[in-house]
Amino acid sequence: MTQSQVTTSKDTSPAHRADWIEAIAFDADGLVPAIAQDAESGRVLMFAWMNREAVEKTVKLGEAVYFSRSRQKLWHKGEQSGHTQTLREIRLDCDGDVLLLSIEQRGGIACHTGRESCFYRRLEGGRWQVTDEVKKSPGAIYGDR
Amino acid sequence: MTQSQVTTSKDTSPAHRADWIEAIAFDADGLVPAIAQDAESGRVLMFAWMNREAVEKTVKLGEAVYFSRSRQKLWHKGEQSGHTQTLREIRLDCDGDVLLLSIEQRGGIACHTGRESCFYRRLEGGRWQVTDEVKKSPGAIYGDR
């Protein structure tokens, strides 16, 4: 993992803004998949979607902002849990239709189940075996609602 | 990264097969996103889609088989380029709708542009800067067609 900071543009003119965001090929729903990877360990922590506004806010804030398909609105990761994701760098794939975020995961918990990574199940012997412990219970993270 | 082998099921009865594949939540198009990560370096190499058959073949073969949305057919990665991906492990996320593959990338090239990773562009100063060299030209990989 490189240690370089994401350079957020100080020039907010539409023409300049367009330079990089226009290279992103959003799908028919206006979304692009985003993979969040821990900047230090390299572990893939989660996968979510972004719309154009989410991408812009992510780069501007320097924290991951996704688009919740279930709630159909922007979702500033950690807004409830405190488990924000500080953006270290953002990459675009060859087809321009997938983003890869290198992030610092606050609290060391990305998953709503209270685990470090959402990918806590591994296929072993024809079963999905849970490999990760719950670091903090969802009740403790979100409050019992 | 763990070094454990993927245990492919020897019991091919439908009931047993269903145990793990039924846990995968395919989308309305019958697809699930799949992230391929280098088992050694931890680098995210590519992102693609799988249908049910692709997932089954991947686990059975021990090599990544995707579903090409553009060609609407199974795509055994490396079938043309030789850049196959040996499956080390496969993980499922909390919602059951994203797969994470830990793979050994043959030839060290996952991208059709001849680069190690499809994520070879990083946002720097409001531009997507290419960070990776082409290790082998597409012409040399696929033959000039």
Side-chain angles (χ1 to χ4, degrees):
Chain A
M1 297 296 111
T2 64
Q3 303 297 314
S4 67
Q5 292 292 316
V6 170
T7 308
T8 53
S9 172
K10 288 183 177 61
D11 179 355
T12 55
S13 66
H16 190 253
R17 190 185 85 179
D19 279 354
W20 64 272
I21 204 138
E22 295 305 335
I24 302 172
F26 294 94
D27 70 11
D29 296 320
L31 302 176
V32 63
I35 302 160
Q37 184 177 28
D38 188 284
E40 296 302 325
S41 70
R43 186 164 189 195
V44 175
L45 301 182
M46 59 177 282
F47 170 95
W49 296 83
M50 291 185 178
N51 63 1
R52 186 183 175 109
E53 191 182 356
V55 175
E56 289 174 335
K57 281 190 185 290
T58 294
V59 171
K60 190 175 175 185
L61 280 177
E63 291 190 357
V65 177
Y66 301 102
F67 182 80
S68 168
R69 294 186 302 170
S70 57
R71 291 180 284 148
Q72 285 288 302
K73 64 172 196 174
L74 287 183
W75 161 41
H76 182 180
K77 170 70 181 168
E79 62 192 356
Q80 287 188 282
S81 64
H83 298 149
T84 50
Q85 298 178 331
T86 302
L87 187 65
R88 197 77 83 73
E89 67 169 33
I90 186 164
R91 288 177 173 269
L92 183 64
D93 82 338
C94 49
D95 296 326
D97 59 3
V98 184
L99 295 172
L100 175 63
L101 281 63
S102 178
I103 56 108
E104 293 166 36
Q105 178 61 61
R106 190 164 178 183
I109 297 173
C111 186
H112 75 287
T113 65
R115 294 178 175 90
E116 179 190 8
S117 168
C118 295
F119 297 93
Y120 59 80
R121 290 183 288 180
R122 183 171 59 198
L123 190 61
E124 292 177 17
R127 290 177 184 274
W128 296 106
Q129 300 288 355
V130 173
T131 59
D132 289 39
E133 60 176 1
V134 173
K135 296 172 81 172
K136 193 172 178 180
S137 74
I141 295 171
Y142 299 100
D144 291 295
R145 288 169 297 177
Chain B
M1 297 296 109
T2 64
Q3 304 297 314
S4 66
Q5 291 292 314
V6 171
T7 309
T8 52
S9 172
K10 288 183 175 61
D11 178 354
T12 55
S13 66
H16 189 254
R17 191 185 84 179
D19 279 353
W20 65 272
I21 204 139
E22 295 304 334
I24 302 173
F26 293 94
D27 70 10
D29 296 320
L31 302 175
V32 64
I35 301 160
Q37 184 176 28
D38 188 283
E40 295 303 325
S41 70
R43 186 163 189 196
V44 175
L45 301 182
M46 59 177 281
F47 170 95
W49 296 83
M50 291 185 177
N51 63 2
R52 186 184 175 109
E53 191 182 356
V55 175
E56 289 175 335
K57 282 191 185 288
T58 294
V59 170
K60 191 174 176 185
L61 281 176
E63 290 190 358
V65 177
Y66 301 103
F67 182 81
S68 168
R69 294 186 303 172
S70 57
R71 290 179 286 149
Q72 286 288 302
K73 64 172 196 174
L74 286 182
W75 161 40
H76 182 179
K77 169 71 181 167
E79 62 193 357
Q80 287 187 284
S81 64
H83 298 151
T84 50
Q85 298 179 330
T86 302
L87 187 67
R88 197 76 83 73
E89 67 169 34
I90 186 165
R91 288 177 174 269
L92 183 63
D93 82 339
C94 50
D95 295 326
D97 60 2
V98 185
L99 295 172
L100 176 64
L101 282 61
S102 179
I103 57 107
E104 293 167 36
Q105 179 61 60
R106 190 163 178 185
I109 296 173
C111 186
H112 74 288
T113 64
R115 294 179 176 89
E116 178 189 9
S117 167
C118 295
F119 297 93
Y120 60 80
R121 291 182 288 180
R122 183 171 60 198
L123 189 61
E124 291 177 18
R127 291 176 183 275
W128 296 107
Q129 300 287 355
V130 173
T131 59
D132 288 39
E133 61 176 358
V134 173
K135 296 172 80 172
K136 193 172 178 181
S137 74
I141 296 171
Y142 299 101
D144 290 296
R145 286 170 297 180

